[in-house]
Amino acid sequence: MIIIQYLINGIMLGGIYALLGVGMTMIFGIVKLTNLAHGEFVIIGAYASTLVAQALGVDPILTLIVTVPFMFLLGMGLQSGLINRVMQKGSEPALLVTFGLSIILQDAMLLLFTADARHAGAAYSSTIIKIGSISIALLDIILLAISLLSILILTWFLNKTYMGRSIRATSDDTQAASLMGVSVKKTYAIALGIAMATAAVAGLCIGLKWTFYASSGGSYLLIAFGVVVIGGMGSIPGTLVAGLIFGLAQVIGGANWGLLISYVLLIIMLAVRPQGLFSK
Amino acid sequence: MENKTLASVRKPIKVLDGKVMLIVCIIIVAFLYAANIFGIFSSNTMRYLMKIFLYITMGEMWNLLSGFTGMTSLGNQTFIGLAGFTVAVATSTYNLPIWLGILIGLAIGVVVAFLLSFVLFRMRGMYFAIATWVIAEAICTAFKSWPYVNMGGGMSIKAKPYPKTPEIYLMALTLFVVAMIVVYLLLRTKTGLGLTAMRDDADAASSVGVNIFKSKLLVYVIAAGFTAIAGAIFFINKGTIYPDSGFNIDWTVSMVFIVIVGGIGTVSGPVVGAIVYVLLDEFLAHFPGWSNIILGAIAILVILFLPDGIMGTLQKKLHFEIFSQKRFSEHKKDIGKKAQLQ
């Protein structure tokens, strides 16, 4: 029974981790950029949801109506205003610029929101459903549903819409896509916009499930990166499986050792099979 | 096209080395030592200079990895933290003298770098960068649950008598001088020239006989060793070390800033970068919380508008190089002289 309980807890966490990884994998696979500021984007999303929910006195999940478009536009602006320009100089300057962005954002949040722990509370936060000897938090089920739904919508968007197809085309062959009339820069801007939008949703999940700080971005970045590397860059199913692996590692190892297990897993994976389990 | 190449060849590059420059450098170093012995500097000045020396050393090492070898590391803090903790454990748990602690710290840094190289050198580019960071975070996390290093509670460095500022200043100055000489001499050797070749095109370099693994290993171990000693001296000055301060990503932030602003891929760049960084850091201490925001913004602006950094841009504009690691052929120098005559 305890194994099933672990498995369920792992799956619940895995959904959030997969969502963390999806934003990273989009940028990795499409823009070919390692976005070291993704963790900070997620924390911005967490603050946005928490603050809007507090200000309006609504359920934190409803704040997505505001935070998702806000983060999407922020991402588009960032890509077209800054990152597109640096990317012309090569991949290492671009990597270092996202690194610079991450420290700027982290300290800006520290200034704006202080170093206090934050948490987005909801009415159903402490409800627990019991099935036999297995207990599941209602919150976990809701967060898993939100994560999976977001990933599903994204998959549908990438596969079925014109914009999604042009994004995938750019990812496969930038030159061919631009010859077919796809504006590469615009596609990149939309890709970062979408990545930021997923970060907004992931941020909400993190804010609901755990307490977070202005400085929490780094550890979520490493989880996101781990999910991407283990799943294979640009692969959404791979991201789901890798999210589950990380979730299980966390549940089995507890907070500190779980993190260590994830790191070691990630390093082994990087050394042995850097293209990931599910690469194209 | 041809005209352009010719024109660029014609412009003579003045290489500032030879006896005169060597004497200038010796005078500067001798002054820095003498000032300490005769007590010319106030202890505040010494503290600034000490910081500058340590940051130059760390910057030179990061530059050696990223600027000259193409291994952009985000995890050099691994060696800073390891060496800092080694000194703390050696002096407070085993009552060893401080110099022995530094030596053990150096040894641990070198051994860890050697072991890590088997994993790290399988990766290139951003994979390498992230892996180095993950390793630093992993060690930090492990230290937080390891009773031997007092878990997350921190450790203090104990020594009787505890080294005073002038003594720590001397350690930092000596480290800086040795580091500069090692970097310059290394880059002048055949291996050193192989490094830049490797950075620009690993496959081409390998096909003309550069042993990639060996060269990378040599550079990585040297960088780890010097970074470790710099970290040890830094924490001796500080007195206490925590996992979060030893393995902090902020170390990499400062190294990246120093090298980018000073000029990536130049030997003199990190010297200028470190001076700018330490002065700026002191100035920004008046605006708590803003320091990383301003440093980050400056770094991004430099990458966008001055990608060669301060020294790189000056060298390109004014056609000079200080103690260049490049070997200019006599032929090129002749063309330069002819151009001057015309």
Side-chain angles (χ1 to χ4, degrees):
Chain A
M1 262 336 203
I2 194 127
I3 296 170
I4 298 175
Q5 179 75 57
Y6 271 162
L7 205 61
I8 288 173
N9 289 352
I11 291 171
M12 297 299 167
L13 275 181
I16 301 179
Y17 288 167
L19 189 60
L20 274 171
V22 160
M24 189 92 179
T25 217
M26 286 275 298
I27 298 305
F28 225 43
I30 296 161
V31 190
K32 311 282 187 293
L33 170 80
T34 313
N35 178 16
L36 295 180
H38 193 70
E40 273 68 37
F41 291 170
V42 170
I43 300 300
I44 293 178
Y47 272 115
S49 282
T50 314
L51 293 176
V52 172
Q54 267 171 7
L56 302 179
V58 292
D59 188 286
I61 294 171
L62 289 178
T63 63
L64 287 179
I65 301 166
V66 190
T67 61
V68 168
F70 164 73
M71 294 279 280
F72 179 79
L73 292 177
L74 199 65
M76 275 189 79
L78 205 59
Q79 181 73 32
S80 42
L82 177 67
I83 298 175
N84 271 341
R85 297 185 60 177
V86 206
M87 282 184 57
Q88 296 161 351
K89 295 178 194 292
S91 66
E92 300 230 307
L95 180 82
L96 294 177
V97 162
T98 61
F99 187 54
L101 263 182
S102 95
I103 61 167
I104 292 175
L105 290 175
Q106 187 180 331
D107 277 33
M109 285 191 285
L110 208 58
L111 273 180
L112 277 173
F113 308 123
T114 71
D116 297 343
R118 296 294 180 112
H119 183 68
Y124 38 81
S125 277
S126 46
T127 314
I128 286 171
I129 299 166
K130 274 198 180 279
I131 306 164
S133 62
I134 294 166
S135 52
I136 308 170
L138 177 62
L139 180 68
D140 280 344
I141 299 175
I142 294 172
L143 295 184
L144 183 68
I146 293 175
S147 304
L148 293 182
L149 196 64
S150 314
I151 295 172
L152 212 66
I153 293 172
L154 187 62
T155 320
W156 170 82
F157 170 78
L158 287 176
N159 287 321
K160 298 285 182 227
T161 63
Y162 180 80
M163 195 62 228
R165 285 198 196 102
S166 68
I167 286 178
R168 283 191 299 131
T170 315
S171 149
D172 288 343
D173 190 334
T174 318
Q175 248 181 342
S178 66
L179 283 174
M180 295 297 122
V182 174
S183 160
V184 173
K185 285 192 170 176
K186 199 176 133 202
T187 312
Y188 283 177
I190 287 171
L192 194 71
I194 293 171
M196 288 278 274
T198 66
V201 185
L204 166 83
C205 295
I206 284 163
L208 276 169
K209 186 150 175 65
W210 296 290
T211 52
F212 61 93
Y213 303 85
S215 53
S216 302
S219 50
Y220 291 116
L221 169 72
L222 288 178
I223 291 173
F225 190 78
V227 169
V228 171
V229 168
I230 291 181
M233 67 161 89
S235 157
I236 290 180
T239 310
L240 279 169
V241 175
L244 178 63
I245 294 174
F246 266 57
L248 282 174
Q250 201 82 1
V251 169
I252 293 166
N256 215 4
W257 291 112
L259 209 56
L260 193 61
I261 294 172
S262 323
Y263 290 156
V264 173
L265 255 176
L266 173 55
I267 295 165
I268 293 172
M269 198 64 198
L270 274 169
V272 180
R273 202 181 146 81
Q275 71 272 36
L277 293 174
F278 292 83
S279 59
K280 285 178 200 167
Chain B
M1 271 311 275
E2 257 182 55
N3 275 338
K4 260 189 184 168
T5 356
L6 274 178
S8 67
V9 169
R10 267 204 203 119
K11 271 176 193 161
I13 293 176
K14 276 184 224 142
V15 182
L16 303 176
D17 54 4
K19 275 182 193 146
V20 182
M21 275 305 280
L22 197 63
I23 292 169
V24 170
C25 288
I26 290 173
I27 291 174
I28 293 173
V29 171
F31 171 72
L32 289 172
Y33 273 104
N36 174 266
I37 293 161
F38 298 118
I40 296 174
F41 292 148
S42 68
S43 61
N44 249 344
T45 316
M46 266 192 284
R47 241 173 253 132
Y48 281 131
L49 285 170
M50 182 185 70
K51 257 175 125 182
I52 290 175
F53 298 148
L54 294 179
Y55 276 118
I56 292 175
T57 310
M58 293 178 198
E60 287 289 348
M61 293 307 142
W62 195 82
N63 191 26
L64 200 58
L65 290 176
S66 181
F68 286 107
T69 320
M71 298 193 281
T72 300
S73 161
L74 296 176
N76 278 8
Q77 63 271 27
T78 301
F79 309 111
I80 295 175
L82 282 177
F85 266 106
T86 308
V87 174
V89 170
T91 56
S92 68
T93 313
Y94 298 106
N95 291 317
L96 296 175
I98 222 157
W99 60 269
L100 196 58
I102 297 177
L103 279 186
I104 302 173
L106 167 69
I108 289 182
V110 167
V111 169
V112 168
F114 180 75
L115 295 177
L116 288 180
S117 67
F118 291 98
V119 180
L120 285 175
F121 292 176
R122 302 173 67 103
M123 308 159 207
R124 278 187 188 179
M126 54 190 173
Y127 288 106
F128 179 87
I130 302 284
T132 53
W133 189 4
V134 173
I135 288 167
E137 287 295 318
I139 296 177
C140 182
T141 314
F143 268 43
K144 280 183 191 166
S145 352
W146 195 17
Y148 185 66
V149 291
N150 196 16
M151 303 170 87
M155 294 190 83
S156 54
I157 294 165
K158 283 174 191 150
K160 273 184 213 169
Y162 203 85
K164 295 190 182 63
T165 309
E167 288 156 22
I168 304 175
Y169 168 93
L170 279 183
M171 291 187 214
L173 174 58
T174 311
L175 177 71
F176 150 68
V177 171
V178 175
M180 291 305 288
I181 294 172
V182 166
V183 167
Y184 176 64
L185 291 181
L186 172 73
L187 291 174
R188 293 282 293 183
T189 60
K190 200 179 146 198
T191 320
L193 293 173
L195 298 178
T196 28
M198 214 164 71
R199 172 198 64 192
D200 296 336
D201 190 334
D203 296 327
S206 167
S207 69
V208 292
V210 176
N211 186 328
I212 300 227
F213 188 84
K214 258 192 191 165
S215 315
K216 275 188 176 178
L217 183 62
L218 179 72
V219 171
Y220 195 59
V221 165
I222 289 177
F226 277 99
T227 310
I229 302 178
I233 298 175
F234 195 97
F235 280 104
I236 289 171
N237 180 48
K238 215 168 181 197
T240 48
I241 182 166
Y242 300 88
D244 280 331
S245 64
F247 299 101
N248 204 309
I249 186 72
D250 277 353
W251 289 109
T252 293
V253 174
S254 37
M255 289 180 230
V256 172
F257 180 87
I258 286 165
V259 175
I260 295 284
V261 169
I264 193 161
T266 63
V267 179
S268 51
V271 178
V272 177
I275 296 171
V276 172
Y277 174 77
V278 170
L279 293 180
L280 207 59
D281 197 45
E282 290 295 329
F283 172 70
L284 291 176
H286 300 296
F287 307 96
W290 282 90
S291 108
N292 270 355
I293 299 178
I294 293 167
L295 292 179
I298 293 176
I300 289 178
L301 289 176
V302 168
I303 291 175
L304 272 176
F305 300 110
L306 209 68
D308 296 312
I310 295 173
M311 286 315 285
T313 311
L314 282 179
Q315 289 187 351
K316 268 192 187 164
K317 286 261 153 68
L318 304 175
H319 305 287
F320 74 96
E321 291 201 11
I322 304 171
F323 284 114
S324 177
Q325 76 288 353
K326 291 174 198 149
R327 292 182 186 175
F328 293 95
S329 62
E330 291 306 312
H331 175 66
K332 253 188 192 172
K333 277 187 185 166
D334 286 345
I335 295 175
K337 273 175 196 160
K338 272 178 202 161
Q340 270 180 325
L341 287 174
Q342 286 162 4

